[in-house]
Amino acid sequence: MNKLVIVVPAYNEELVIEKTTEKLVDILQRLVDNNKISDESLLLYVDDGSQDNTWEMVTELHKQNKLVTGIKFSHNAGHQNALIAGIECAKDADYIITIDADLQDDPDSIEDMVDQANSGKNIVFGVRNNRDSDTWFKKTSAELFYKIMALLGVESIPNHADFRLIDQRVIQAFLQYPEREMFLRGIFPKLGFNQGEVFYARSKREAGETKYPLRKMLTFAMDGITSFSVVPIKMIRNVGFLVVFVGIIYLIYTVIAKVMGHTVAGWPSLIISMWLLGGVQLVALGVVGEYIGRIFTEVKHRPRYTLEANLYTDKVVEQ
């Protein structure tokens, strides 16, 4: 029988943690009772350095129920690092499912994921079948994001977040990726293997605040682009060639105008050229600087996170 660990990153989720635990434990128990997973299966919370009582509640739930366990970061390391930590911690599991603590992703789809995995799927992606719960801005920006990613050659699953099942083969393949800045939504489709999908309608958050405001969404989008594509740098190169070409054309035009006796004041064209070239240069420096910053982060090889407590193995470790 396969051991399943449900990994749930949690940052300041004290308002939803009890309800989330009740729902996910019920699902785990039902799967165990139906002989679909092992009775060693667990619910693993990853406390991403919460400032509220999230960890205290996880600890108490761990004492009350053997199915609940958790690990705690010594500081906030980010949602993606919390997911990675959960996978690294539970790497002994046959299946790992990642899902956010707010349960906006449909937890009832977990049984469908397990059924597909038991039938031979190595990865099962949870995919939203609509975005009715999103605002117009979030819906439009999400669609634009996936189109840009596809245009840049990044392989991703549209409308898939971080709700997925991976089996032991995928876990071992994933653990071979050493980079610090990971875009998980691009890595898992890239791994290949036998992939499946379950479709669901996303619910509204019942309590607490979203952990992905606009600023973090923009940073996340930049992470995805710079982690998987060098197209932006190539685009800058092409823009540079275009500017040089336009400059040569303008130079020829100026020489011809001078020979024909046409006096050109020059001030407007000079100012426009300065602003245009200055803007292009600043954008180019910014994009190149982003990639250099990624290199700087990678070569230091600092740990992605530090664990303060580990109820999964009952010891304090550092990754």
Side-chain angles (χ1 to χ4, degrees), residues 119-273:
S119 298
K121 298 294 184 182
N122 302 112
I123 308 177
V124 184
F125 298 103
V127 182
R128 298 175 62 175
N129 56 19
N130 65 71
R131 285 187 168 270
D132 294 341
S133 61
D134 287 350
T135 62
W136 175 87
F137 175 78
K138 189 169 184 179
K139 183 187 300 184
T140 304
S141 61
E143 292 174 353
L144 179 62
F145 169 72
Y146 288 116
K147 288 180 180 178
I148 292 175
M149 295 292 280
L151 184 65
L152 296 178
V154 180
E155 186 177 354
S156 62
I157 308 294
N159 295 320
H160 163 69
D162 289 300
F163 181 33
R164 68 181 71 88
L165 177 148
I166 56 177
D167 72 358
Q168 183 59 217
R169 290 185 67 190
V170 178
I171 293 169
Q172 294 305 316
F174 171 75
L175 293 177
Q176 296 178 30
Y177 282 68
E179 59 257 40
R180 304 295 93 185
E181 300 289 341
M182 279 198 183
F183 182 67
L184 299 183
R185 300 181 194 185
I187 286 180
F188 284 106
K190 184 181 178 66
L191 288 177
F193 295 104
N194 190 359
Q195 302 182 1
E197 296 178 344
V198 297
F199 296 91
Y200 64 94
R202 200 163 196 252
S203 306
K204 293 183 178 180
R205 171 181 271 270
E206 295 191 10
E209 298 179 350
T210 177
K211 302 306 181 292
Y212 271 98
L214 179 60
R215 177 181 59 82
K216 285 191 175 182
M217 287 174 61
L218 293 174
T219 301
F220 185 69
M222 183 61 70
D223 287 344
I225 292 171
T226 55
S227 294
F228 279 88
S229 178
V230 294
V231 171
I233 292 182
K234 293 181 180 179
M235 289 174 63
I236 290 174
R237 178 200 61 192
N238 295 337
V239 169
F241 286 140
L242 178 62
V243 170
V244 170
F245 177 74
V246 172
I248 292 172
I249 296 298
Y250 189 73
L251 174 63
I252 295 172
Y253 165 78
T254 303
V255 171
I256 292 174
K258 183 69 174 177
V259 170
M260 296 180 66
H262 298 294
T263 303
V264 180
W267 185 83
S269 59
L270 178 62
I271 294 300
I272 292 172
S273 299

